[in-house]
Amino acid sequence: MNPYQSKPTVVPVNPFDPREDAAILRKAMKGFGTDEKSIIQVLTRRSNEQRLRIAFEFKTLYGKELVSDLKSETSGKFEDLLVALMTPLPQFYAKELHDATAGIGTDEDVLIEVMCTMSNHEINVIKQAYTAIYGTLLEDDLRGDTSGNFKRLMTSLCMGNRSEDFHVDQGKAREDARSLLQAGELRLGTDESVFNAVLCSRSFPQLAAIFQEYQFLTGHDIDDAIKAEFSGDLEKAMRAIVKVVRNKPLFFAERLHKSMKGLGTNDRQLIRIMVTRCEVDLGDIADMFQSKYGETLQSWIEGDCSGHYKKCLLGLLGLY
């Protein structure tokens, strides 16, 4: 989609010896005390798939679960981060979505972050993992926990059926832009269903063309139109889709910034983004962070986090 190759900060190590890694981890946790440095260096320098291979070898060699050992040897946010790193990605996403909808209140922010950024394939894999773990359908849990037009948008995204034709049809883009204009600014009240249909079914490159045509037609940005026409979670979700179409790394950079700014840190969000994007585009996200905020992501993490938790996050940036 992007003209440039995206920049991961964690890539599979080569050559890879999972049995050797398992032995290093065992030694780091055996006996008195824990060698956190070795744990961080092994786990932040391996891909998710490689970490799962290490866990398999660990169990083969020692008859123990690597994750259980890590949990008993560590605590707090460092433990949370290690557990996230050791979870297969589809299961990790499934758990985040489940926890966002289960219990009291819904964390719509998590739903938006995951559902508005994933490809069809990713959504379908997450749906499978979700049902395997919880025995319910992701779609049913999302629908049971949201309402109104936001619920409709989440249901549409949950279908994982966006066009993936990367050929841009400029004529159709103009038609869609006109439809959006007629469904929003040119009428009293807004016809949400038109926005829903366009934002959930057109390919990302096609949406970029539609937003451009919208700007030509109206002289202003689609983002401003959405701000004026919608509110609440629906507005947030639609604007997230616009942002992802234009600059996905910037979307995540802003989420990281938000997780650390002000009092307290939203560690769950920080961990989720660092763990899920490190093998995709965390390098680009760090670049966007610096160009938008004039400070490095590294300096924010150093200022906001501490101890082994901080070192492990920096490890995911390739800086430990």
Side-chain angles (χ1 to χ4, degrees):
M1 193 208 138
N2 293 329
Y4 64 88
Q5 210 42 51
S6 57
K7 283 199 310 204
T9 53
V10 173
V11 293
V13 73
N14 186 12
F16 173 50
D17 184 348
R19 200 155 269 201
E20 169 67 14
D21 286 345
I24 294 169
L25 290 172
R26 170 79 176 138
K27 187 169 171 256
M29 295 186 283
K30 205 177 164 195
F32 189 71
T34 309
D35 174 5
E36 288 92 354
K37 185 174 182 179
S38 295
I39 294 174
I40 294 169
Q41 288 187 334
V42 170
L43 296 182
T44 62
R45 295 177 188 178
R46 307 289 181 271
S47 67
N48 185 255
E49 206 175 319
Q50 289 181 327
R51 289 181 212 117
L52 301 176
R53 279 283 311 281
I54 295 167
F56 188 77
E57 293 295 342
F58 191 92
K59 199 173 183 177
T60 303
L61 293 172
Y62 310 112
K64 301 173 79 173
E65 290 280 1
L66 176 54
V67 177
S68 311
D69 272 19
L70 287 168
K71 287 174 81 156
S72 66
E73 293 289 325
T74 58
S75 62
K77 293 174 287 200
F78 180 45
E79 178 190 343
D80 294 342
L81 178 53
L82 293 178
V83 171
L85 287 171
M86 294 306 304
T87 308
L89 269 174
Q91 278 162 252
F92 179 74
Y93 277 120
K95 190 175 182 337
E96 292 292 298
L97 289 169
H98 182 261
D99 292 358
T101 55
I104 304 159
T106 307
D107 190 342
E108 286 85 5
D109 246 22
V110 176
L111 305 186
I112 291 169
E113 183 191 301
V114 178
M115 300 304 295
C116 297
T117 60
M118 295 284 117
S119 68
N120 292 349
H121 174 67
E122 287 166 325
I123 285 174
N124 290 315
V125 171
I126 292 166
K127 279 168 26 180
Q128 283 172 345
Y130 192 96
T131 302
I133 302 170
Y134 301 108
T136 54
L137 294 173
L138 172 61
E139 184 193 325
D140 292 348
D141 288 359
L142 285 176
R143 288 175 65 84
D145 229 67
T146 53
S147 60
N149 291 306
F150 180 65
K151 169 176 165 176
R152 285 165 58 185
L153 185 76
M154 285 297 126
T155 304
S156 293
L157 292 171
C158 197
M159 299 313 291
N161 190 26
R162 181 184 294 288
S163 161
E164 286 185 339
D165 175 10
F166 290 119
H167 164 75
V168 171
D169 182 328
Q170 216 60 46
K172 280 212 172 82
R174 206 162 301 132
E175 273 170 47
D176 277 344
R178 199 165 287 124
S179 303
L180 290 174
L181 181 57
Q182 283 159 353
E185 298 182 55
L186 292 183
R187 55 172 283 163
L188 255 88
T190 310
D191 183 353
E192 288 90 355
S193 63
V194 175
F195 279 82
N196 192 89
V198 171
L199 292 174
C200 296
S201 70
R202 306 296 187 258
S203 74
F204 285 127
Q206 186 67 22
L207 283 172
I210 292 166
F211 300 159
Q212 208 175 11
E213 288 293 340
Y214 193 92
Q215 174 93 37
F216 292 151
L217 277 174
T218 63
H220 59 249
D221 204 304
I222 185 83
D223 190 56
D224 297 326
I226 292 171
K227 260 194 291 203
E229 298 292 328
F230 301 97
S231 62
D233 298 320
L234 182 63
E235 177 200 342
K236 266 196 217 161
M238 288 184 170
R239 293 182 64 198
I241 294 171
V242 171
K243 201 153 259 165
V244 167
V245 165
R246 289 180 166 162
N247 189 335
K248 198 191 253 180
L250 178 60
F251 172 79
F252 285 111
E254 289 173 354
R255 308 272 309 177
L256 282 172
H257 185 262
K258 193 170 168 226
S259 75
M260 293 183 278
K261 80 171 206 279
L263 277 167
T265 305
N266 182 341
D267 292 290
R268 186 141 191 189
Q269 185 167 314
L270 177 57
I271 289 172
R272 183 175 59 249
I273 297 173
M274 296 293 288
V275 168
T276 58
R277 305 312 297 181
C278 63
E279 287 182 56
V280 188
D281 55 1
L282 190 55
D284 303 303
I285 292 168
D287 292 345
M288 283 297 153
F289 190 98
Q290 189 166 1
S291 67
K292 173 147 190 181
Y293 302 107
E295 295 176 283
T296 63
L297 177 55
Q298 176 185 0
S299 70
W300 272 63
I301 290 170
E302 287 172 339
D304 235 59
C305 310
S306 61
H308 301 299
Y309 173 52
K310 172 183 82 179
K311 290 173 188 163
C312 196
L313 286 170
L314 293 175
L316 292 176
L317 276 172
L319 299 169
Y320 178 69

